[in-house]
Amino acid sequence: AGGVAGATARTASAPLDRVKLLFQVQAVAARQGRAASGVASAREYTGVAQSLRKIYAEEGLAAFWKGNFTNVVRIFPYSACQLMANDLYKRALSSGDGKPLTVSTRLIAGALAGMTATAVTHPLDTVRLRLALPSHPYRGLGHAVSTIVRKEGPAALYKGLGPTLVGIAPYAALNFATYDLAKAYIYRQNGDSRSTGDAGIGTRGESPLVNLALGAATGTFAASFCYPLDTVRRRMQMKGNAYRNQLDALGTIWREEGHRGFYRGWAANALKVVPQNSIRFVTYELMKTLLGIRKKVTDT
């Protein structure tokens, strides 16, 4: 259920995800040179609409989904692991007396779920970033993995794992916790007795459209809060040694680009998160219903 939900949501938002990635890494690519990175200059991509037009004009329609196969290969186990782990962690951390989970418990469960899924799938995320860049030297997923391991060593697949874990923990914590709490509040306000105990009890009485809106709002909030760390992570995953470590990356970006450097691609990311997060949550709940999976009192 979680894998199908993640793959569906990510494929739908792939064009905006590619624009976001190009915004985040183009400053580093300019420093390294076109031959090393495939991105020409720090000002090549200047806005969401301009970037979409440029990609279409230079690479064609299929370019919007460049690297999406790798992305789906990564996101299927990632989303399955994250959504399942969130439910399992919440069950494990619950008191077992049927009382609503505390906010801190929801945050801890979400953070642990995000870190668990990230640690498992980080190598595929690194490869996906490399394949998303224009003029990359790889023929496909398998060739990219073998080339990176042969030329840079196996550790290269885990570049940026530290900042990724640091970044995903608050993002997943905020995303899951605010979604559950928002659902509980909305359905209680509307007099849905199903939700008087805890958020996420069953699906009867819930509106998919309302849940889509809630997923979009909570995902945008969480992503915006954690976006600077995501920018650092993406840059550290690039080929070469632009930064020595996470602190060096933070200092260099601040010194050379100012606070705006941390939010390059934020608009594309926000537009991507709206459909992606909402579709993922609603599809996950729908798939659990279709598969006959019984929902526990603490489940999302």
Side-chain angles (χ1 to χ4, degrees):
V4 172
T8 301
R10 186 52 66 97
T11 300
S13 60
L16 289 168
D17 188 51
R18 181 154 191 246
V19 170
K20 183 208 71 165
L21 289 176
L22 291 172
F23 274 130
Q24 286 181 309
V25 303
Q26 66 177 340
V28 175
R31 290 165 56 191
Q32 294 177 341
R34 184 179 179 89
S37 64
V39 182
S41 72
R43 293 188 175 276
E44 187 166 3
Y45 303 98
T46 58
V48 176
Q50 180 266 349
S51 298
L52 291 171
R53 290 194 300 269
K54 180 178 178 61
I55 292 170
Y56 179 74
E58 295 182 354
E59 304 177 62
L61 183 63
F64 291 116
W65 283 271
K66 181 180 286 187
N68 190 58
F69 173 74
T70 304
N71 212 14
V72 170
V73 170
R74 180 192 73 90
I75 204 64
F76 194 96
Y78 175 82
S79 186
C81 183
Q82 188 186 58
L83 290 165
M84 179 185 70
N86 181 57
D87 284 344
L88 292 178
Y89 282 130
K90 286 194 295 185
R91 294 179 193 180
L93 294 171
S94 68
S95 60
D97 56 7
K99 292 182 179 179
L101 295 174
T102 64
V103 174
S104 60
T105 299
R106 294 182 187 281
L107 290 171
I108 292 171
L112 290 173
M115 294 174 74
T116 300
T118 296
V120 171
T121 60
H122 188 77
L124 283 171
D125 193 42
T126 298
V127 174
R128 192 261 302 198
L129 171 63
R130 301 282 187 94
L131 290 174
L133 294 173
S135 305
H136 63 73
Y138 311 114
R139 294 193 296 270
L141 173 60
H143 180 248
V145 172
S146 62
T147 301
I148 293 170
V149 171
R150 185 176 66 256
K151 293 185 176 181
E152 304 174 52
L157 293 173
Y158 291 90
K159 276 186 177 180
L161 179 59
T164 300
L165 293 177
V166 172
I168 197 62
Y171 171 73
L174 288 173
N175 193 24
F176 281 118
T178 53
Y179 180 70
D180 281 350
L181 293 170
K183 280 179 63 178
Y185 175 78
I186 292 296
Y187 288 117
R188 275 200 294 267
Q189 288 294 106
N190 290 331
D192 184 359
S193 60
R194 177 204 61 77
S195 292
T196 56
D198 193 18
I201 307 172
T203 55
R204 185 168 27 179
E206 293 186 8
S207 165
L209 291 178
V210 170
N211 289 348
L212 282 170
L214 293 176
T218 57
T220 301
F221 167 73
S224 298
F225 185 85
C226 304
Y227 195 77
L229 285 172
D230 187 57
T231 295
V232 171
R233 169 175 70 106
R234 293 301 182 189
R235 294 196 180 189
M236 291 186 71
Q237 285 178 313
M238 292 185 67
K239 184 178 181 180
N241 297 304
Y243 309 108
R244 294 188 301 274
N245 50 49
Q246 184 180 359
L247 289 178
D248 179 53
L250 289 167
T252 302
I253 295 171
W254 177 266
R255 186 172 59 255
E256 296 184 357
E257 304 171 53
H259 70 279
R260 291 179 181 273
F262 293 108
Y263 286 92
R264 294 190 187 279
W266 176 87
N269 188 61
L271 290 173
K272 178 200 75 170
V273 166
V274 168
Q276 180 177 301
N277 206 59
S278 55
I279 290 171
R280 189 177 72 136
F281 276 131
V282 172
T283 304
Y284 178 56
E285 292 162 349
L286 175 62
M287 288 300 298
K288 288 175 75 173
T289 300
L290 293 176
L291 293 172
I293 299 173
R294 186 175 180 182
K295 212 167 187 181
K296 302 294 184 180
V297 68
T298 57
D299 287 358
T300 295

